[in-house]
Amino acid sequence: MENLVDKIVSEVLNRQGRETTTIIAQPGISRPNYQREKGKERLLGITAPESGNKPGPSFAPQLNPSGTLFTVSMKPPVKINTGFTPMEENIEVKAEVRKSEITEKSFGQAKFIGVSAGNTVGYVIPNLEPDLGQYLQVNRNLRAIGVISSRIGAAVQIMAADEAVKKTNSELIRLELARDELGGPGHGVFALFAAEDVADVIRAVEIALMATEEYYQNIKNTPAGKIETHYTARAAAALNKTFGAPLNQAFGIIIGAPAGIGLLMSDTALKTAHVTPVSFWGPSVAQAFANEVWLTVTGDSAAVKNALEAAREVGMQVLAEFRA
Amino acid sequence: MENLVDKIVSEVLNRQGRETTTIIAQPGISRPNYQREKGKERLLGITAPESGNKPGPSFAPQLNPSGTLFTVSMKPPVKINTGFTPMEENIEVKAEVRKSEITEKSFGQAKFIGVSAGNTVGYVIPNLEPDLGQYLQVNRNLRAIGVISSRIGAAVQIMAADEAVKKTNSELIRLELARDELGGPGHGVFALFAAEDVADVIRAVEIALMATEEYYQNIKNTPAGKIETHYTARAAAALNKTFGAPLNQAFGIIIGAPAGIGLLMSDTALKTAHVTPVSFWGPSVAQAFANEVWLTVTGDSAAVKNALEAAREVGMQVLAEFRA
Amino acid sequence: MENLVDKIVSEVLNRQGRETTTIIAQPGISRPNYQREKGKERLLGITAPESGNKPGPSFAPQLNPSGTLFTVSMKPPVKINTGFTPMEENIEVKAEVRKSEITEKSFGQAKFIGVSAGNTVGYVIPNLEPDLGQYLQVNRNLRAIGVISSRIGAAVQIMAADEAVKKTNSELIRLELARDELGGPGHGVFALFAAEDVADVIRAVEIALMATEEYYQNIKNTPAGKIETHYTARAAAALNKTFGAPLNQAFGIIIGAPAGIGLLMSDTALKTAHVTPVSFWGPSVAQAFANEVWLTVTGDSAAVKNALEAAREVGMQVLAEFRA
């Protein structure tokens, strides 16, 4: 009889769990193919720390109907820099281009690293208060935390974070989107890095601030809207966690605002080049109600670049129609 | 024994389904009367495309805790224009008033239609990429998609969409709200039309852009807040889907920002005229956290007009108190 | 056999209920200690009016994935002003400081009370329309409603509401956060007071408007971000409902924007003074996707003040780095 009870409870919870996952995690989006399903599992398979203590067979993952894209209880980081750096991702931070200012100084126990484009600030807390660590679901053993936080942008800093984890022994452990952009249509970002060694976190924040300055130049703003495209020759762990990007593949992000411009850019990109969509966001709770469409794509390096170029061109044409 | 299992599972899922529906679909709102319950069912009864494939007896509908008000897998549209057009809804788009610019041109395969007030853009994709169609839950058989997207407004474009579906053989199949309005208290909108015939979609987008210009004049903005009232003599399918408006009845929308102004306008409207409330929104996930109260009402044509006028008057009085 | 059915259904619903509560009520936040759990229960234990009519053993509470922090079906208010007023909370509203204008006048049946800092408006509806009362989940017996609504601020008005309920025979019965602040990183607020006696509600709104002016001076805005700290020597019912603040204890709020500045302020506060965290918000659906971190703390009066001062100082240092 107890077997029966377990069987029924399992079945109900299991069905409910799948339902709930779909509702909360991917509002308004049906993911068409297997590859994307895998990306989704990768993104959603993350287990919140407390769920290990729960009784019972099969619970809905604790997905947050929030701006929190993911939180991970960090395992000891594994060096994922393979030593091979294709030319395209070799970001050259020139003195005349960079507006990021790395001005390390101590604010109490915290190490202030600097500022960058988009009102982005970066700092490191060598020993995060345990109470805050629990609120933020940070693994208790790894308390050196790097923070990248901004009023403007999200894709810019996510791309920059990918550079940072690629080149250091650190991990992007939490990513939250706010609805901000100083009155613009998009986001502000709140991202946490962690590592066992404070020096790794400091280096990660430095790289992220400098790369933010670079990627920021891919944004075209007008009073009517915004278009934004980003490319990397080789996606690393940060893009994988955020979008389900296949590791070590060419990867692109296409963003247009208001959302309709992003949809036209997305359609044009997919019609122009042989690329595979990885993720799609419209205005929704998952992207903090920003007035943007985000399409991410993977494929051959040349195809991804062509897709981004075509998207950018049609986006520019529409923005030009506003003459504003 | 299997019957027992089914019975229990059904009961649990059924109860849970009802619970989940209430929680996610109408945050913070208890709907007082039967008419409104019907409107709710109408709004919520829409089935997401994939749910038909699911096993099991009774699932929670896939309601999105997002800015997506609804998505429908479109049936072949039925001509709903009865040929009868009351005077009040006969929008006269005068050359000197209209700021919508219909400038059809081709952007690749897409047909750009024009722009309108509120940074609104309209275009048509004759053959939407199937991957995007799945993300957006568009019926695979109907790939001619019209898009209305804006930085400012939502009620304006929803009213305009109602004119468009009334006068063409098309349907409003998706409506998402973003939190935008260029730093104002309200929304941006992202709306999709579809039809079997591309010409119908093009005509729908043209009408929606022109009507957007007209309805936009019903907005009164000040640095302190905003008031907005809209009236139609005969609600059609777009207002029915969005708010549960009774078809072919007089219908009004009352909006005030910040939210408290909208509540005072709503109370005044209901005290002044014998109208029936259809829907109510405060700041919530359902309206993308806009700082607005929206009340919609139905009733006699004269009563609805009186309610809107009284709401507008008290809203103006409060805004005047800010002298800002 | 029916017992078995009940047992299973109860168990499933019970487990699911706990799950759902966690997911929706506290996105992204694991609450570390017992005291905070109690605060959570206090906040979440509120029963929506209609849930009393539901059949069945154990339902998930109707938590709203919205900007609604709480709604209560009000019991007859109990005078909670103990007559004892410590010096620190004795707000002196000086003529030269106050920018709140109390200009009571009648707008129809409603009594307009005045305006205050942050585009805050206050008024009283002596007899709220029953339909709106049901939408807003206001107890039918208590229809005198006071409204505080603003484009800017939330903590300011919550602190002010605490003063108001402390000094009058009224209750804060509903609190909604919108994403607003006129393009800034934070909120607008929509708060409802109620009492049996209209005079109490009028007095509550007057006090709240005047106190809003005072607390507003605790905000420091720059183009880069914002810092904000608030202190009270004795938390009352409004702070208890909103954050789970222990009644009659010293209590402080620490806010920084963008969110990363708030986290650094929070870490500094907890490292500086022996205070106990009460609640923590990052950008999330619970705080309407504002780009802010909110930490609230309790403890000795001196410790809370020290924590706030240290937080403010480090926040100022970071904002200064932007030189913007």
Side-chain angles (χ1 to χ4, degrees):
Chain A
M1 207 54 167
E2 281 308 305
N3 280 358
L4 174 69
V5 174
D6 258 357
K7 183 183 165 193
I8 299 172
V9 171
S10 288
E11 188 179 352
V12 176
L13 288 175
N14 190 36
R15 288 190 202 170
Q16 284 276 347
R18 287 203 312 271
E19 282 302 299
T20 309
T21 304
T22 311
I23 290 170
I24 296 182
Q26 295 291 336
I29 296 176
S30 61
R31 289 173 157 264
N33 68 25
Y34 176 66
Q35 180 189 359
R36 268 164 266 167
E37 282 304 322
K38 278 207 302 187
K40 189 175 170 184
E41 279 157 26
R42 219 176 292 125
L43 185 61
L44 303 182
I46 294 154
T47 312
E50 69 271 37
S51 68
N53 310 326
K54 296 264 175 53
S58 163
F59 285 93
Q62 297 211 339
L63 296 167
N64 304 319
S66 76
T68 312
L69 283 183
F70 61 82
T71 312
V72 290
S73 182
M74 195 173 67
K75 299 137 294 181
V78 176
K79 189 77 173 173
I80 59 168
N81 189 338
T82 61
F84 170 72
T85 306
M87 208 51 207
E88 293 97 334
E89 65 183 328
N90 208 338
I91 294 180
E92 295 174 28
V93 182
K94 291 163 205 142
E96 67 274 19
V97 173
R98 181 204 321 180
K99 300 232 182 58
S100 52
E101 289 180 43
I102 306 301
T103 54
E104 295 182 21
K105 52 184 86 171
S106 290
F107 287 174
Q109 294 185 34
K111 195 169 192 64
F112 179 81
I113 307 295
V115 297
S116 189
N119 279 15
T120 305
V121 62
Y123 64 87
V124 170
I125 299 178
N127 195 12
L128 183 69
E129 276 294 298
D131 277 341
L132 297 178
Q134 287 193 264
Y135 282 131
L136 294 166
Q137 303 183 341
V138 176
N139 185 310
R140 190 175 287 269
N141 299 322
L142 296 145
R143 285 163 68 184
I145 299 294
V147 177
I148 290 285
S149 178
S150 75
R151 295 292 308 277
I152 297 177
V156 163
Q157 289 88 353
I158 294 166
M159 293 297 288
D162 208 54
E163 300 297 328
V165 300
K166 208 181 283 179
K167 290 168 179 164
T168 63
N169 203 356
S170 70
E171 208 177 332
L172 181 66
I173 60 162
R174 187 180 182 88
L175 181 63
E176 300 194 28
L177 301 185
R179 177 69 187 84
D180 201 337
E181 210 179 20
L182 293 171
H187 302 96
V189 78
F190 179 45
L192 300 191
F193 295 90
E196 286 178 325
D197 185 343
V198 175
D200 279 322
V201 178
I202 290 173
R203 185 73 190 127
V205 172
E206 286 171 354
I207 293 171
L209 286 174
M210 289 187 291
T212 292
E213 185 68 34
E214 292 295 307
Y215 283 109
Y216 196 78
Q217 298 171 41
N218 298 333
I219 304 177
K220 167 73 181 167
N221 269 304
T222 77
K226 183 183 80 166
I227 68 172
E228 190 176 341
T229 56
H230 299 290
Y231 170 80
T232 183
R234 188 166 62 86
L239 292 170
N240 175 268
K241 275 185 196 163
T242 307
F243 303 108
L247 286 170
N248 300 316
Q249 303 297 309
F251 180 78
I253 305 179
I254 293 164
I255 302 174
I261 293 181
L263 180 63
L264 181 55
M265 291 167 69
S266 300
D267 188 71
T268 303
L270 295 178
K271 282 191 166 70
T272 302
H274 186 67
V275 291
T276 305
V278 175
S279 68
F280 180 93
W281 292 344
S284 66
V285 74
Q287 75 150 330
F289 297 114
N291 194 351
E292 300 180 342
V293 159
W294 291 41
L295 177 74
T296 65
V297 297
T298 190
D300 286 350
S301 174
V304 172
K305 283 179 179 174
N306 285 347
L308 266 53
E309 201 173 342
R312 202 169 176 87
E313 196 179 318
V314 74
M316 289 290 203
Q317 282 179 301
V318 178
L319 283 184
E321 291 296 322
F322 281 101
R323 294 177 201 87
Chain B
M1 208 54 166
E2 281 309 304
N3 280 358
L4 175 68
V5 174
D6 258 356
K7 183 184 165 192
I8 299 171
V9 171
S10 288
E11 188 179 351
V12 176
L13 288 175
N14 190 36
R15 287 190 203 171
Q16 284 276 348
R18 287 203 311 271
E19 281 303 299
T20 309
T21 303
T22 311
I23 291 170
I24 296 182
Q26 296 292 337
I29 296 175
S30 61
R31 289 172 157 264
N33 67 24
Y34 176 66
Q35 181 189 0
R36 268 164 266 168
E37 283 304 321
K38 279 207 302 187
K40 189 175 169 185
E41 279 158 26
R42 219 175 293 124
L43 185 61
L44 303 182
I46 294 155
T47 312
E50 69 270 38
S51 68
N53 310 327
K54 296 264 176 52
S58 163
F59 285 92
Q62 297 211 339
L63 296 167
N64 305 319
S66 75
T68 313
L69 283 183
F70 61 82
T71 312
V72 290
S73 181
M74 195 174 66
K75 299 138 294 181
V78 176
K79 189 78 173 173
I80 59 167
N81 189 337
T82 62
F84 170 72
T85 306
M87 208 51 207
E88 293 97 335
E89 66 183 327
N90 207 338
I91 293 179
E92 295 174 28
V93 182
K94 291 163 206 142
E96 68 274 18
V97 173
R98 181 203 323 179
K99 300 232 183 58
S100 52
E101 289 181 43
I102 306 301
T103 54
E104 296 183 20
K105 52 183 86 171
S106 290
F107 287 174
Q109 294 185 34
K111 195 168 192 66
F112 179 81
I113 307 295
V115 298
S116 189
N119 279 15
T120 305
V121 62
Y123 64 86
V124 170
I125 299 177
N127 195 13
L128 183 69
E129 276 294 298
D131 277 341
L132 297 178
Q134 287 193 264
Y135 282 131
L136 294 166
Q137 303 183 342
V138 176
N139 185 311
R140 189 175 287 269
N141 299 322
L142 296 146
R143 285 163 67 184
I145 299 294
V147 177
I148 290 286
S149 179
S150 75
R151 295 291 308 277
I152 297 177
V156 163
Q157 289 89 353
I158 294 166
M159 293 298 287
D162 208 53
E163 300 297 327
V165 300
K166 208 182 283 180
K167 290 168 178 164
T168 63
N169 203 356
S170 70
E171 208 177 333
L172 181 67
I173 60 163
R174 187 180 182 89
L175 181 63
E176 300 193 28
L177 301 185
R179 177 70 186 84
D180 200 338
E181 211 179 19
L182 293 171
H187 302 96
V189 78
F190 179 44
L192 301 190
F193 295 90
E196 287 178 325
D197 186 343
V198 175
D200 279 322
V201 177
I202 290 173
R203 185 72 190 129
V205 172
E206 287 171 354
I207 292 172
L209 286 174
M210 288 187 291
T212 291
E213 185 68 33
E214 292 295 307
Y215 283 109
Y216 197 77
Q217 297 170 41
N218 298 333
I219 304 176
K220 167 73 181 166
N221 270 304
T222 77
K226 183 183 80 165
I227 68 172
E228 190 176 342
T229 56
H230 299 291
Y231 169 80
T232 183
R234 188 166 62 86
L239 292 170
N240 175 268
K241 275 186 197 162
T242 307
F243 303 107
L247 287 170
N248 300 315
Q249 303 297 309
F251 180 78
I253 304 179
I254 293 164
I255 301 174
I261 293 181
L263 180 62
L264 181 55
M265 291 167 69
S266 299
D267 188 71
T268 303
L270 295 178
K271 282 191 166 70
T272 302
H274 186 66
V275 291
T276 305
V278 174
S279 68
F280 179 93
W281 293 344
S284 66
V285 75
Q287 75 150 330
F289 298 113
N291 194 351
E292 300 180 342
V293 159
W294 291 41
L295 177 74
T296 65
V297 296
T298 190
D300 285 350
S301 173
V304 172
K305 283 180 179 174
N306 285 347
L308 266 54
E309 201 174 341
R312 201 168 177 87
E313 197 178 319
V314 75
M316 289 291 202
Q317 282 179 302
V318 178
L319 283 184
E321 291 297 323
F322 281 102
R323 294 177 202 87
Chain C
M1 207 55 167
E2 281 308 305
N3 280 357
L4 174 68
V5 174
D6 259 357
K7 183 183 165 192
I8 299 171
V9 171
S10 288
E11 188 178 352
V12 176
L13 287 175
N14 190 36
R15 288 190 203 171
Q16 285 277 348
R18 287 203 310 272
E19 281 302 300
T20 309
T21 303
T22 311
I23 291 170
I24 295 182
Q26 295 292 336
I29 296 175
S30 61
R31 288 173 157 264
N33 68 24
Y34 176 66
Q35 180 190 0
R36 268 164 266 168
E37 283 305 320
K38 278 206 303 186
K40 189 176 170 185
E41 279 157 26
R42 220 176 292 125
L43 185 61
L44 303 182
I46 294 154
T47 312
E50 69 271 37
S51 68
N53 309 327
K54 297 263 175 54
S58 164
F59 286 93
Q62 298 211 339
L63 296 167
N64 304 319
S66 75
T68 313
L69 283 183
F70 62 82
T71 312
V72 289
S73 182
M74 195 173 67
K75 299 137 293 181
V78 176
K79 189 78 174 173
I80 59 169
N81 189 337
T82 61
F84 170 72
T85 307
M87 208 51 207
E88 293 97 335
E89 66 183 327
N90 208 339
I91 294 180
E92 295 174 29
V93 182
K94 291 162 207 144
E96 68 274 18
V97 173
R98 181 203 322 179
K99 300 231 183 59
S100 52
E101 289 180 43
I102 307 300
T103 54
E104 295 183 20
K105 52 183 86 171
S106 290
F107 287 174
Q109 295 185 33
K111 196 168 192 65
F112 179 81
I113 307 294
V115 297
S116 189
N119 279 15
T120 305
V121 62
Y123 64 87
V124 170
I125 299 178
N127 195 13
L128 183 69
E129 275 294 298
D131 277 341
L132 297 178
Q134 287 194 264
Y135 283 131
L136 294 166
Q137 303 183 340
V138 176
N139 184 310
R140 190 176 286 269
N141 299 322
L142 296 146
R143 285 163 68 183
I145 299 294
V147 177
I148 290 286
S149 178
S150 74
R151 295 291 308 277
I152 297 177
V156 163
Q157 289 88 353
I158 294 166
M159 293 298 287
D162 208 53
E163 300 297 328
V165 300
K166 207 182 285 179
K167 290 167 180 165
T168 63
N169 203 356
S170 70
E171 208 176 333
L172 182 66
I173 60 162
R174 187 180 182 89
L175 181 63
E176 300 193 29
L177 301 185
R179 177 69 187 83
D180 201 338
E181 213 180 16
L182 293 171
H187 302 95
V189 78
F190 179 44
L192 301 191
F193 295 91
E196 286 178 325
D197 185 343
V198 175
D200 279 322
V201 178
I202 290 173
R203 185 73 190 127
V205 172
E206 286 170 354
I207 292 172
L209 286 174
M210 288 187 292
T212 291
E213 185 68 34
E214 292 295 308
Y215 283 109
Y216 197 77
Q217 297 170 42
N218 298 333
I219 304 177
K220 167 73 180 168
N221 270 303
T222 77
K226 183 184 80 166
I227 68 172
E228 190 176 342
T229 56
H230 299 291
Y231 169 80
T232 183
R234 188 166 61 85
L239 292 170
N240 175 267
K241 275 185 196 163
T242 307
F243 303 108
L247 287 170
N248 300 316
Q249 303 297 310
F251 180 78
I253 305 179
I254 293 164
I255 302 174
I261 293 181
L263 180 62
L264 181 55
M265 292 168 68
S266 299
D267 188 71
T268 303
L270 295 179
K271 282 190 165 69
T272 302
H274 186 66
V275 291
T276 305
V278 174
S279 67
F280 180 93
W281 293 344
S284 66
V285 75
Q287 75 150 331
F289 298 114
N291 195 351
E292 299 181 343
V293 159
W294 290 41
L295 177 74
T296 65
V297 296
T298 190
D300 285 350
S301 173
V304 172
K305 283 180 179 174
N306 285 348
L308 266 53
E309 200 173 342
R312 201 168 177 88
E313 196 178 319
V314 74
M316 289 290 202
Q317 282 179 301
V318 178
L319 283 184
E321 291 296 322
F322 281 102
R323 294 176 201 88

